[in-house]
């Protein structure tokens, strides 16, 4: 979290570095049992990557972005941990 906050002060919040940090933070929080916070971080990460015009993620079915895939996995893990199996 410290690294994320440090980078946040140096780079715009919608930068892909923040997305990667949020994905990792989500995975860590999920492991600590903070499932709702983990879900929020994963969704923020996913939103950053989907809306980044340099990454060509507008068509999710054909995206080959591994960072975006990690965000989806983190989101699904959080949803499963919250008992929202269908949503995952």
């Amino acid at each position: 979290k410290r690294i994320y906050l440090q980078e946040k002060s140096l780079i715009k919040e919608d930068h892909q570095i923040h997305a990667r940090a949020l994905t990792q933070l989500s995975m860590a929080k999920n492991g600590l049992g903070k499932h709702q916070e983990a879900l929020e971080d994963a969704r923020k990460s996913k939103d950053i990557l989907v809306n980044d015009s340099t990454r060509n993620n507008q068509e999710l079915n054909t995206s080959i972005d591994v960072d975006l895939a990690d965000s989806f996995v983190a989101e699904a893990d959080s949803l499963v941990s919250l008992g929202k199996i269908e949503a995952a």
Side-chain angles (χ1 to χ4, degrees), residues 5-24:
L5 294 174
Q6 179 181 341
E7 292 298 321
K8 187 176 175 181
S9 67
L10 300 173
I11 301 171
K12 291 185 345 181
E13 259 189 76
D14 63 348
H15 195 276
Q16 61 185 336
I17 290 173
H18 292 296
R20 289 190 209 123
L22 283 166
T23 298
Q24 294 300 315

Side-chain angles (χ1 to χ4, degrees), residues 11-78:
I11 301 171
K12 291 185 345 181
E13 259 189 76
D14 63 348
H15 195 276
Q16 61 185 336
I17 290 173
H18 292 296
R20 289 190 209 123
L22 283 166
T23 298
Q24 294 300 315
L25 197 55
S26 172
M27 292 176 181
K29 286 180 180 178
N30 202 39
L32 293 170
K34 298 179 178 182
H35 308 301
Q36 188 60 46
E37 288 180 36
L39 179 60
E40 292 166 13
D41 288 342
R43 286 183 171 163
K44 283 181 200 172
S45 173
K46 187 177 72 172
D47 288 343
I48 291 169
L49 294 170
V50 167
N51 293 312
D52 184 345
S53 61
T54 65
R55 297 182 76 92
N56 196 24
N57 286 326
Q58 289 69 38
E59 186 58 48
L60 296 179
N61 291 334
T62 58
S63 175
I64 59 170
D65 188 337
V66 295
D67 294 324
L68 181 59
D70 287 342
S71 293
F72 273 104
V73 169
E75 180 184 34
D77 286 347
S78 299

